[in-house]
């Protein structure tokens, strides 16, 4: 696999309470989000429907932010890798809760939902939660990229990702992309850091009745040591038969931290 290098199981920390998927989603909205749902309620009037003609920038930039021909925003994860993981997670028990950490404008979450739907998993069976600050990263938003992937259109992308007042509109674009793809019943947004989001689940009181993820898809920090910290916390959160997968093995920092993690937890990993 080029993008999903590892599908690995981990040790149990506490059992998943049997709930239906709508109950899982309702408990999250009620107990974690105090009955608010960004996907349903956010004003996305400044998010883009398509590439704005007043911006003289390449079409490739619009595909990253808004979507390509199949209306899916930029993501590196491949359909066949997602299909493999989804089938594995759904093999011996229902796949009810997929936790994505690092979502940008929704490309991977939307693609995951599409593959799930093709396999018969929808909002009635499986919830996808997306943890992200939705504030952008230094590489992708805040720094001028003169040599990298976006060297020819980076400032155009920055204009798309920043509202007129200078604040990031990434969350608004994420929400609009999710709605435009008709996954507003299946996908939830949790705007926080990866570390804070994982700790919210690890430290939640039992009365909140939050679910344990069946799968954690990690595509967040891409920074040395931070990726390792995310891997360790995600590993701690997973149940015994949970699956941890991730993206961007080609990033040196990600590969180094993943190899370090595999060495540290060698005795607990499946071959």
């Amino acid at each position: 696999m080029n993008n999903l290098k590892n599908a690995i199981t981990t040790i149990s920390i506490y059992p998943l309470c049997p709930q239906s998927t709508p109950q899982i989603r309702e408990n999250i909205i009620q107990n974690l989000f105090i009955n608010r749902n960004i996907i349903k309620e956010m004003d996305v009037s400044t998010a883009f429907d398509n590439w704005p003609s007043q911006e003289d920038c390449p079409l490739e930039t619009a595909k990253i932010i808004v979507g390509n021909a199949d209306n899916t925003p930029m993501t590196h994860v491949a359909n066949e890798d997602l299909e493999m993981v989804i089938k594995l997670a759904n093999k011996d028990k229902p796949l009810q809760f997929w936790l994505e950490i690092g979502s940008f404008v929704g490309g991977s979450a939307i693609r995951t939902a599409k593959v799930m739907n093709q396999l018969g998993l929808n909002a009635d069976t499986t919830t996808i939660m997306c943890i992200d600050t939705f504030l952008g990263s230094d590489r992708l938003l805040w720094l001028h990229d003169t040599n990298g992937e976006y060297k020819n259109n980076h400032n155009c992308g920055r204009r798309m990702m920043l509202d007129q007042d200078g604040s990031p509109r990434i969350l608004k674009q994420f929400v609009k992309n999710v709605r435009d793809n008709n996954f507003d019943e299946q996908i939830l947004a949790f705007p926080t850091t990866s570390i804070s989001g994982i700790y919210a689940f690890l430290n939640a009181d039992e009365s909140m009745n939050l679910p344990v993820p069946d799968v954690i898809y990690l595509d967040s920090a891409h920074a040395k040591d931070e990726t390792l910290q995310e891997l360790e916390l995600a590993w701690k959160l997973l149940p015994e038969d949970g699956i941890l997968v991730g993206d961007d093995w080609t990033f040196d920092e990600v590969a180094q931290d993943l190899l370090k993690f595999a060495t540290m937890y060698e005795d607990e990993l499946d071959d």
Side-chain angles (χ1 to χ4, degrees):
M1 295 177 293
N2 294 324
N3 298 312
L4 294 175
K5 293 294 294 188
N6 290 269
I8 47 183
T9 58
T10 183
I11 55 176
S12 177
I13 51 173
Y14 51 93
L16 178 65
C17 298
Q19 304 178 72
S20 69
T21 295
Q23 284 176 322
I24 288 174
R25 192 160 48 249
E26 183 59 33
N27 283 337
I28 291 172
I29 293 170
Q30 180 177 339
N31 296 320
L32 196 60
F33 301 151
I34 53 173
N35 284 321
R36 291 167 171 82
N37 184 351
I38 288 173
I39 299 295
K40 295 287 191 180
E41 299 172 25
M42 173 168 271
D43 177 6
V44 298
S45 56
T46 61
F48 291 110
D49 290 307
N50 46 49
W51 185 237
S53 59
Q54 68 268 24
E55 301 277 12
D56 184 20
C57 294
L59 179 62
E60 287 302 311
T61 305
K63 292 180 180 179
I64 292 170
I65 308 299
V66 179
N68 51 29
D70 69 350
N71 208 34
T72 303
M74 185 272 288
T75 179
H76 295 131
V77 65
N79 285 7
E80 55 266 29
D81 291 332
L82 288 169
E83 182 176 343
M84 178 199 68
V85 175
I86 291 166
K87 286 181 175 179
L88 179 63
N90 199 50
K91 182 179 179 181
D92 296 321
K93 67 171 186 177
L95 169 54
Q96 292 187 299
F97 187 46
W98 179 290
L99 181 62
E100 176 176 286
I101 302 174
S103 300
F104 188 40
V105 292
S108 52
I110 291 167
R111 179 164 291 177
T112 299
K114 287 181 177 180
V115 175
M116 285 182 177
N117 278 225
Q118 291 167 4
L119 296 172
L121 302 176
N122 52 38
D124 292 329
T125 63
T126 313
T127 293
I128 300 170
M129 170 175 272
C130 297
I131 293 177
D132 199 303
T133 64
F134 299 100
L135 297 176
S137 66
D138 56 345
R139 179 184 65 88
L140 191 59
L141 175 58
W142 298 112
L143 300 181
H144 181 65
D145 184 2
T146 57
N147 299 307
E149 182 179 357
Y150 310 112
K151 63 182 179 182
N152 295 323
N153 57 17
H154 186 70
N155 281 334
C156 306
R158 294 177 74 187
R159 287 199 295 273
M160 288 192 76
M161 286 185 275
L162 290 176
D163 249 327
Q164 294 301 314
D165 61 4
S167 62
R169 69 171 125 223
I170 296 172
L171 178 55
K172 295 177 183 178
Q173 194 64 53
F174 171 91
V175 171
K176 188 173 192 311
N177 290 342
V178 168
R179 290 178 186 172
D180 287 351
N181 282 273
N182 299 312
F183 291 121
D184 51 311
E185 295 291 342
Q186 187 165 8
I187 295 175
L188 294 172
F190 188 4
T192 187
T193 66
S194 57
I195 305 302
S196 177
I198 295 173
Y199 271 126
F201 280 88
L202 285 173
N203 297 331
D205 186 274
E206 287 187 10
S207 64
M208 294 181 72
N209 206 19
L210 297 183
V212 179
D214 302 299
V215 176
I216 296 179
Y217 171 76
L218 186 60
D219 186 14
S220 181
H222 299 77
K224 190 176 182 299
D225 298 327
E226 188 175 357
T227 298
L228 179 61
Q229 185 179 12
E230 290 174 342
L231 283 165
E232 290 190 272
L233 286 173
W235 189 253
K236 186 176 180 181
L237 179 58
L238 280 169
E240 182 176 358
D241 51 358
I243 298 175
L244 174 60
V245 296
D247 199 4
D248 290 329
W249 167 260
T250 55
F251 283 67
D252 288 341
E253 299 85 352
V254 173
Q256 290 171 16
D257 275 6
L258 180 57
L259 291 172
K260 186 183 295 185
F261 170 81
T263 299
M264 293 168 59
Y265 292 86
E266 182 177 5
D267 293 341
E268 300 175 19
L269 294 175
D270 281 354
D271 293 334

